[in-house]
Amino acid sequence: MTFYEFISKEPGVIKPFELFGTSHIFALISVILFITILTKLSNRSETIHKYYKRFLLFILPIQEILVRLWICFYQDFDLESMFSLHLCSMAIIFCTIILVKYNQSLFEIIYFWGLGGATQALLTPDISAYGFPHFRFFQVFLSHGLIIATIIYFIFVENKRIRKGSLKRILITTNAYAAFVFVINMIFKTNYLFIGHKPETPSLIDMLGPWPFYIIWLEVLMLIMFGLLYIPVLYAEKHAAKKELEASI
């Protein structure tokens, strides 16, 4: 396989991506093993902890820059190809920021946006023409895997926690952000968050009905997803309260 085939917009040798095919399953297992092993090693060794954090800080923006350059190489230099306002892209920016200087509010945003969006992207990646070993195959699993890795790092290595009431705050924040993005879409004729129209390639949104009704279903799915992600927070609060009660007796 040539380098051109590796980065080609229309690969001729590389087979299309197969959902839950061998390469997809292997990629998911690799992401899980990477996060599990590096998280455990970071808890055991201060040196590994330090270099793992530096690795996340370096690779997260680098891979995002590379994919933006790849998109611009094959498309016109417009706003949507040069910069993304999708939740996972913003999660990458926020991950990079808190790896430099921790911020609790940003951490709570990436907890919901990152885990919700990145998990879905790993399970149903939008790379129909780009199977293993294309550049986009590696980039998609790397970028979304690193988002989850960063969240897991802060929770299990640096012992950061999601605050009580964060579900209400993130719902307000997300809807306010969507309203902002809607205005950006109107001005620049973009389709960030897919609230202007459905994606050009087949996706789960196709099952949610026509525009604008699928937006309502996206809101419902967001409520369900964020609610599920808040369950561990409630459990942690209950467990902490129980321990505090036991200690006071």
Side-chain angles (χ1 to χ4, degrees):
M1 184 187 70
T2 64
F3 179 74
Y4 177 77
E5 178 75 5
F6 175 71
I7 64 169
S8 174
K9 183 180 180 181
E10 299 178 351
V13 177
I14 296 174
K15 295 181 179 180
F17 176 78
E18 180 184 354
L19 187 65
F20 296 116
T22 303
S23 59
H24 187 191
I25 297 297
F26 182 78
L28 291 175
I29 293 174
S30 298
V31 169
I32 294 171
L33 288 176
F34 172 85
I35 294 173
T36 302
I37 293 172
L38 267 297
T39 300
K40 287 187 175 182
L41 290 177
S42 294
N43 276 318
R44 294 178 181 177
S45 168
E46 185 61 33
T47 301
I48 294 177
H49 174 187
K50 179 176 65 176
Y51 283 106
Y52 181 43
K53 187 175 184 178
R54 289 180 180 177
F55 170 80
L56 293 172
L57 177 59
F58 176 76
I59 296 297
L60 273 164
I62 290 298
Q63 64 80 31
E64 186 68 13
I65 292 170
L66 288 176
V67 75
R68 290 296 118 199
L69 291 174
W70 182 84
I71 293 172
C72 288
F73 181 77
Y74 289 111
Q75 298 179 11
D76 295 330
F77 284 81
D78 55 19
L79 178 64
E80 199 160 2
S81 62
M82 294 179 66
F83 187 76
S84 173
L85 293 178
H86 291 294
L87 295 187
C88 282
S89 294
M90 296 307 299
I92 287 173
I93 294 173
F94 294 156
C95 282
T96 304
I97 291 172
I98 67 170
L99 282 165
V100 175
K101 183 176 177 59
Y102 182 77
N103 179 282
Q104 180 65 29
S105 295
L106 286 184
F107 175 62
E108 290 173 358
I109 290 175
I110 67 169
Y111 174 80
F112 289 99
W113 286 9
L115 286 183
T119 301
Q120 178 184 327
L122 289 172
L123 293 175
T124 58
D126 183 21
I127 48 172
S128 56
Y130 307 116
F132 178 85
H134 193 274
F135 162 73
R136 284 286 285 139
F137 177 91
F138 289 108
Q139 184 274 326
V140 164
F141 286 99
L142 177 65
S143 63
H144 295 97
L146 288 176
I147 292 173
I148 296 176
T150 303
I151 297 167
I152 297 299
Y153 163 81
F154 277 108
I155 293 175
F156 292 101
V157 179
E158 296 206 354
N159 297 312
K160 304 300 183 183
R161 294 293 178 263
I162 306 300
R163 295 173 296 185
K164 184 179 180 180
S166 58
L167 177 60
K168 179 181 178 180
R169 290 192 294 272
I170 196 63
L171 290 174
I172 295 173
T173 299
T174 304
N175 280 285
Y177 179 72
F180 164 76
V181 169
F182 180 79
V183 174
I184 295 296
N185 286 341
M186 293 287 289
I187 296 173
F188 295 101
K189 309 301 180 184
T190 51
N191 190 34
Y192 295 124
L193 303 185
F194 305 119
I195 54 180
H197 58 80
K198 293 183 180 182
E200 301 296 335
T201 56
S203 70
L204 294 175
I205 296 178
D206 295 331
M207 303 171 60
L208 304 180
W211 187 94
F213 300 105
Y214 74 79
I215 297 177
I216 299 174
W217 284 110
L218 288 177
E219 184 81 14
V220 172
L221 291 174
M222 179 187 71
L223 288 170
I224 295 172
M225 176 64 74
F226 288 176
L228 291 173
L229 290 172
Y230 194 61
I231 291 176
V233 179
L234 293 175
Y235 175 81
E237 289 176 359
K238 183 178 179 181
H239 183 68
K242 183 180 179 181
K243 288 185 65 176
E244 185 177 338
L245 180 62
E246 291 175 348
S248 63
I249 297 175

